[in-house]
Amino acid sequence: MGLHLGWGTGKAGKRKRLYDTPRVPLDRQLDTHVLTDKQKRELIAFRDRLDPAAITRRIGEFQDVLIVLAKDTTGQLDLAQFPSVPPEVHKGTRVKRAAS
């Protein structure tokens, strides 16, 4: 969602929130008068050098490493939850005998 602008009225007269159009933070920053022209040019050049596909692949690689690192700890937690000797599941359970 975009930035919350205020309140308005919907078709049925019900009060609803109004939002501006969604935009990335850099585009919002460029519209302000906070940055110098040089800073704006540098940020735009940096954005243009980014490769979203490469960033996504790199994130996937980091996630794979984290999964491997967490595997031992997760495995130990799983073992701690389940006893090594399974309980007798039929103990105290009545089973009807089939009619002969």
Side-chain angles (χ1 to χ4, degrees), residues 58-98:
R58 193 78 172 125
I59 290 171
E61 292 168 5
F62 285 129
Q63 288 173 330
D64 292 342
V65 170
L66 289 172
I67 289 169
V68 170
L69 292 173
K71 185 178 178 184
D72 291 337
T73 304
T74 305
Q76 290 172 3
L77 290 172
D78 287 342
L79 289 175
Q81 289 178 345
F82 300 108
S84 58
V85 178
E88 288 202 29
V89 292
H90 296 294
K91 188 175 184 178
T93 305
R94 292 185 179 189
V95 179
K96 287 187 177 181
R97 293 184 182 210

Side-chain angles (χ1 to χ4, degrees), residues 1-92:
M1 284 203 177
L3 186 65
H4 180 248
L5 295 177
W7 296 91
T9 307
K11 292 178 184 175
K14 187 176 178 183
R15 186 175 143 126
K16 68 176 198 170
R17 291 182 188 215
L18 299 176
Y19 295 93
D20 68 348
T21 55
R23 297 177 351 182
V24 295
L26 177 60
D27 290 339
R28 292 184 189 281
Q29 187 72 38
L30 292 173
D31 288 345
T32 67
H33 300 291
V34 175
L35 301 173
T36 65
D37 287 340
K38 180 182 176 190
Q39 289 172 324
K40 288 180 181 181
R41 286 192 304 274
E42 289 173 354
L43 287 172
I44 291 170
F46 177 74
R47 178 192 59 192
D48 292 345
R49 287 192 310 266
L50 294 176
D51 181 0
I55 293 170
T56 302
R57 284 190 298 272
R58 193 78 172 125
I59 290 171
E61 292 168 5
F62 285 129
Q63 288 173 330
D64 292 342
V65 170
L66 289 172
I67 289 169
V68 170
L69 292 173
K71 185 178 178 184
D72 291 337
T73 304
T74 305
Q76 290 172 3
L77 290 172
D78 287 342
L79 289 175
Q81 289 178 345
F82 300 108
S84 58
V85 178
E88 288 202 29
V89 292
H90 296 294
K91 188 175 184 178

